[in-house]
Amino acid sequence: MRLLCFLLFACVFSPLTRCEEKRIPEEKLLVVTVATKETDGFRRFLRSAKHFNYTVKVLGRGETWKGGDYMGPPGGGQKVRLLKEALEEMKKKDKIILFIDSYDVVFASGPKELLKKFQQARHKVVFSSESLIWPDRHLEDKHPHVREGNRFLGSGGFIGYVPNIKEMVADWTGEDSDSDQLFFTKTYIDSAKRKSINITLDSKCRLFQNLHGALDEVVLKFEDGRVRARNLLYDTLPVMIHGNGPTKLQINYLGNYIPNTWTFETGCTVCHEDLRPLTALKESEYPLVVIGIFIQQPTPFVTVFFERLLKLQYPKNRLKLFISNQETHHERQVSSFLQDHGKLYQDVKSIGPEKELDGTESRNLGFDMCRKDKDCDYFFSVDVEVVLKNEDTLKVLVEQNLPVVAPMITRAGRLWSNFWGALSADGYYSRSEDYVDIVQGRRVGVWNVPYVSSVYLVEAGLLRTELTDFNLFNSHILDPDMAFCHNIRSKGIFMYVTNMHTFGRILSTENYKMGHLHNDLWQIFENPVDWQERYIHENYTLIMKNQMVETPCPDVYWFPIFSDVACDHLVEEMEHFGKWSGGGNTDTRIQGGYENVPTIDIHMNQINFEKEWHKFLLEFIAPITEKMFPGYYTKCATPLNFVVRYKPDEQPLLEPHHDASTFTINIALNSKGIDYQVNEEERGANRSYRT
């Protein structure tokens, strides 16, 4: 009793550090992992270890992996063999080993916290824990019960003193293909060995977080410029996150943020690392890129696509083109582009609709063109419905120096994009927690994602090593793009999407009809942004600033509205239709059948353009009308819309006159300054059109 009182007295009055167990120095810790090749996951692991200044020893470099994979039967014995061999060289008894997988692991905190939590466990070896038993369910009853937390051992990570780990692996005599999980499990459930080695489980995931069976328990925690994974079930902050089993996509998602890869305070902290700058290179030194262009369906604004392709800021002599056009309707645009500009490129290969290739075959051929070309450094795949507004897109992607990277593009006014943030259980689209923020630009960075499409850059070395299979896009159940991404994921290759820049958008092709000469004119509803860029005058927006409006006489306002292309297309569309009225007073197309001031014209409804024209008036004419005439509001409910054809010797009744119109909108489709009153030298040669 006296002794007890003395001890209590000593603890009260002695410095606190004397009552606590002495902290383990960080230099006593060595991280040991097995990596027979440097995968994207391994490089991510090393980056996270470097972030926290862990010392890492890598075993098995250059060896052939014989330990199976997570999709196959149990394996991993090769890891135990390599560890056992490495331990023979370690003599210090106070050395602490953290043995951890690397391809699917990231560190969330540093050695100080790790060692503190290990010390608090009060055991010599601590294994990660799981809620699911694997690989032998028959051993479930033999596992010790725990008061709270996971009950089953996970072999993907453990920490302990060298002598104890040596004792634990001393009995290993298995093959490389045998199960390390089963070996360690049998050691753990053997009460004598468990006690002798002094093993316990990290049941509440204070050190290790295995994601398999725990996806609903783990969330990201953002606080004070740091990002951690938090286990909601046990309210813990694990030091390591392990995407074991079929949770590779989840660790990829978490790895976009941990450790401090992206925070709300700093944004992306690694997006400017390991870049491949092009600015210092001569044009002749630029990587050679094969651009694959795929036209699989009728698509609007194909001519504009090729105009933008021509404007890409990348040396044309370092580009080769592979064009697969499977749509007869677009043969004219492809031929025109190649005839005018094909010689600018180092090489061009074009496959037309006569080959009758489907999307799978054409994409396989395009990738194989790069694979077989020893000079090819990258394959840039672009679907024709992609609108690349950023002329530096290809440069930006090459400089990212990533295996597969896509520029983020979206559909105007919608959350649709060319990437998926997550996959459903059956491999289709699922919305990730950060998807909307990435699409809307509230989170900016370079993101590891499970699926990209429409436009992306692939490093050619992958096609000659990991992706040698010609049939990359083949699948009996998946679309070609989904099959391609599945094949990439199965190889452990990371796909990225970047929204560090604004790149462009993707067209809607859902209601593209081909019954006209210039079908793009009818796209004002489906693709309004592209329609405006193509057909509305570049100075239109200046009108609202009173910089482009002229007043030739009272209550008459003159301003630019259509681009030259719009004027040409409307004229050509009407000439193509060809059914001009006779210009007489009798006109069965209008109510009453009598035209007071007859013209030679074609009505908009004759070419099924009435709805589109009304939309144009509402969007582009009504705002100006309301500005010029304050207090006036219009629904643009015009009774008659038509295009008039003028010739110098036709329609004398259209000389200055009065008619019954309250107001009219006249749009000159001819060149500025040319009207129906033409110069003598132009008489008989020109036609003039108005709407």
Side-chain angles (χ1 to χ4, degrees):
M1 188 66 177
R2 291 178 181 175
L3 178 59
L4 176 60
C5 292
F6 175 78
L7 289 175
L8 289 173
F9 181 84
C11 284
V12 171
F13 290 96
S14 298
L16 186 61
T17 52
R18 294 182 184 178
C19 293
E20 291 182 346
E21 188 175 355
K22 187 177 180 181
R23 194 171 68 190
I24 302 172
E26 294 180 21
E27 57 268 22
K28 298 289 187 183
L29 175 68
L30 176 65
V31 178
V32 180
T33 190
V34 173
T36 55
K37 65 179 181 178
E38 291 197 6
T39 65
D40 293 333
F42 176 70
R43 284 185 284 269
R44 176 183 59 193
F45 167 81
L46 287 184
R47 186 168 59 243
S48 72
K50 181 180 179 181
H51 179 82
F52 293 111
N53 294 317
Y54 283 98
T55 301
V56 180
K57 182 179 179 63
V58 181
L59 309 178
R61 286 183 188 263
E63 283 195 16
T64 300
W65 176 251
K66 301 176 182 178
D69 60 70
Y70 75 95
M71 296 296 289
Q78 189 169 351
K79 294 189 294 182
V80 186
R81 173 178 63 80
L82 290 170
L83 174 61
K84 184 177 180 180
E85 293 171 358
L87 286 171
E88 293 176 358
E89 301 175 3
M90 300 181 187
K91 307 300 181 182
K92 294 182 179 180
K93 295 183 178 180
D94 60 347
K95 191 74 172 179
I96 295 175
I97 297 297
L98 169 64
F99 190 69
I100 190 80
D101 287 353
S102 58
Y103 294 161
D104 48 11
V105 169
V106 292
F107 285 104
S109 188
K112 181 178 179 181
E113 181 179 336
L114 173 69
L115 291 171
K116 179 181 178 181
K117 289 181 175 179
F118 170 60
Q119 204 165 1
Q120 290 171 345
R122 306 290 181 183
H123 284 73
K124 298 298 184 180
V125 177
V126 180
F127 269 87
S128 69
S129 67
E130 299 187 40
S131 61
L132 305 174
I133 185 171
W134 188 84
D136 189 348
R137 295 182 59 187
H138 298 94
L139 299 177
E140 179 176 350
D141 292 340
K142 297 184 178 182
H143 279 74
H145 288 276
V146 296
R147 182 176 301 176
E148 183 182 9
N150 297 327
R151 183 180 166 200
F152 306 113
L153 177 144
S155 65
F158 57 84
I159 183 172
Y161 286 95
V162 166
N164 302 77
I165 296 177
K166 281 186 176 181
E167 181 182 351
M168 183 172 64
V169 300
D171 294 336
W172 173 261
T173 57
E175 301 293 329
D176 285 357
S177 58
D178 289 344
S179 172
D180 63 325
Q181 175 97 356
L182 186 60
F183 171 75
F184 288 125
T185 296
K186 289 182 176 180
T187 301
Y188 173 66
I189 62 177
D190 185 321
S191 58
K193 289 184 178 180
R194 184 171 68 250
K195 183 177 180 180
S196 172
I197 300 169
N198 199 0
I199 304 175
T200 191
L201 301 186
D202 178 34
S203 297
K204 295 184 181 180
C205 304
R206 299 181 73 241
L207 292 93
F208 307 92
Q209 177 65 67
N210 289 313
L211 294 177
H212 188 35
L215 293 180
D216 295 336
E217 301 171 12
V218 181
V219 297
L220 288 170
K221 179 185 179 183
F222 297 88
E223 186 176 9
D224 299 329
R226 293 192 63 189
V227 189
R228 297 289 297 266
R230 180 186 177 193
N231 186 300
L232 295 174
L233 186 61
Y234 306 120
D235 194 22
T236 54
L237 298 174
V239 177
M240 289 151 286
I241 317 300
H242 182 199
N244 59 320
T247 62
K248 310 307 176 191
L249 301 186
Q250 285 72 24
I251 190 63
N252 290 349
Y253 166 74
L254 295 175
N256 284 328
Y257 298 93
I258 300 171
N260 297 352
T261 306
W262 189 97
T263 71
F264 285 103
E265 291 80 4
T266 63
C268 182
T269 62
V270 299
C271 291
H272 299 289
E273 296 180 2
D274 302 323
L275 297 181
R276 181 180 186 174
L278 298 176
T279 52
L281 299 180
K282 299 177 182 178
E283 287 194 352
S284 59
E285 298 173 335
Y286 271 54
L288 191 142
V289 181
V290 174
I291 302 181
I293 300 163
F294 300 96
I295 308 173
Q296 300 296 142
Q297 60 188 337
T299 305
F301 305 108
V302 169
T303 299
V304 183
F305 171 88
F306 283 111
E307 290 172 358
R308 291 199 175 101
L309 178 68
L310 197 64
K311 293 178 181 178
L312 276 181
Q313 296 301 300
Y314 203 92
K316 300 291 187 293
N317 61 357
R318 300 302 294 161
L319 296 175
K320 296 183 179 181
L321 299 184
F322 172 85
I323 302 176
S324 173
N325 173 32
Q326 302 309 310
E327 179 51 58
T328 304
H329 176 71
H330 294 309
E331 283 188 284
R332 177 172 55 87
Q333 290 102 324
V334 174
S335 297
S336 177
F337 170 75
L338 292 180
Q339 182 176 348
D340 294 341
H341 309 292
K343 293 181 180 179
L344 296 174
Y345 298 90
Q346 188 180 124
D347 190 25
V348 175
K349 181 177 181 180
S350 181
I351 298 176
E354 69 281 356
K355 296 293 185 180
E356 298 183 349
L357 300 181
D358 60 21
T360 300
E361 294 171 309
S362 60
R363 293 178 193 276
N364 283 333
L365 280 173
F367 274 71
D368 205 45
M369 175 178 169
C370 175
R371 182 185 290 116
K372 292 178 178 178
D373 184 346
K374 62 181 179 59
D375 296 323
C376 178
D377 295 302
Y378 292 95
F379 187 86
F380 186 40
S381 179
V382 190
D383 292 353
V384 76
E385 57 265 32
V386 170
V387 179
L388 286 181
K389 294 284 291 178
N390 190 331
E391 296 177 2
D392 291 321
T393 295
L394 184 52
K395 280 185 179 179
V396 169
L397 298 182
V398 170
E399 287 182 334
Q400 286 297 319
N401 196 26
L402 293 169
V404 182
V405 59
M408 191 193 76
I409 57 173
T410 59
R411 188 162 290 168
R414 296 175 59 182
L415 288 175
W416 191 98
S417 74
N418 65 322
F419 80 96
W420 296 349
L423 297 181
S424 63
D426 53 359
Y428 287 82
Y429 170 81
S430 180
R431 180 173 291 183
S432 61
E433 179 273 337
D434 57 0
Y435 178 81
V436 174
D437 280 349
I438 293 174
V439 169
Q440 296 183 343
R442 290 193 291 270
R443 302 187 190 186
V444 175
V446 180
W447 311 94
N448 186 338
V449 296
Y451 171 91
V452 295
S453 65
S454 301
V455 52
Y456 48 84
L457 186 75
V458 180
E459 201 273 318
L462 288 176
L463 300 177
R464 303 186 189 103
T465 54
E466 301 294 322
L467 303 175
T468 55
D469 184 6
F470 176 83
N471 297 316
L472 279 178
F473 291 86
N474 291 67
S475 173
H476 297 297
I477 57 175
L478 299 175
D479 293 338
D481 53 349
M482 294 177 65
F484 172 68
C485 293
H486 170 79
N487 287 329
I488 289 179
R489 294 193 305 269
S490 67
K491 297 287 187 179
I493 300 168
F494 290 170
M495 290 173 281
Y496 296 88
V497 66
T498 172
N499 64 342
M500 296 282 286
H501 305 262
T502 299
F503 294 102
R505 56 186 176 271
I506 191 163
L507 295 169
S508 170
T509 60
E510 294 169 1
N511 295 303
Y512 187 60
K513 296 180 174 56
M514 298 182 294
H516 305 279
L517 179 66
H518 295 294
N519 300 289
D520 296 348
L521 280 169
W522 277 257
Q523 285 294 299
I524 191 170
F525 289 103
E526 289 296 325
N527 294 290
V529 176
D530 298 270
W531 193 94
Q532 178 175 346
E533 289 184 357
R534 184 66 163 161
Y535 292 129
I536 297 301
H537 197 281
E538 61 182 358
N539 292 329
Y540 171 79
T541 55
L542 298 177
I543 297 170
M544 306 308 288
K545 302 175 183 178
N546 293 324
Q547 296 181 17
M548 293 297 296
V549 179
E550 299 179 35
T551 309
C553 58
D555 291 333
V556 174
Y557 300 96
W558 187 19
F559 52 85
I561 185 67
F562 275 145
S563 66
D564 289 345
V565 173
C567 296
D568 291 341
H569 282 193
L570 275 170
V571 170
E572 292 167 10
E573 195 66 47
M574 293 304 175
E575 291 284 22
H576 178 70
F577 181 72
K579 298 179 182 179
W580 297 100
S581 65
N585 294 106
T586 302
D587 193 340
T588 58
R589 298 171 301 168
I590 62 176
Q591 188 175 2
Y594 182 82
E595 174 58 63
N596 199 25
V597 184
T599 56
I600 297 175
D601 56 48
I602 294 174
H603 292 184
M604 293 298 188
N605 58 18
Q606 288 182 266
I607 62 169
N608 296 317
F609 199 64
E610 192 77 3
K611 289 189 302 181
E612 288 75 13
W613 187 255
H614 184 243
K615 174 73 171 175
F616 157 73
L617 295 177
L618 282 173
E619 293 291 329
F620 301 102
I621 300 298
I624 302 173
T625 304
E626 293 165 9
K627 179 179 177 61
M628 298 298 108
F629 300 93
Y632 175 82
Y633 173 75
T634 178
K635 294 182 179 180
C636 295
T638 58
L640 198 58
N641 300 295
F642 51 90
V643 173
V644 177
R645 186 185 71 188
Y646 292 152
K647 288 184 180 180
D649 55 350
E650 285 182 348
Q651 304 177 132
L653 291 176
L654 287 182
E655 294 180 358
H657 67 278
H658 294 278
D659 59 29
S661 301
T662 304
F663 66 89
T664 62
I665 302 169
N666 291 325
I667 302 176
L669 301 180
N670 48 275
S671 300
K672 183 178 179 181
I674 301 176
D675 210 327
Y676 71 96
Q677 296 175 346
V678 296
N679 299 328
E680 286 298 324
E681 61 267 28
E682 296 170 328
R683 186 175 297 279
N686 266 327
R687 288 182 176 179
S688 180
Y689 300 79
R690 280 183 182 270
T691 59

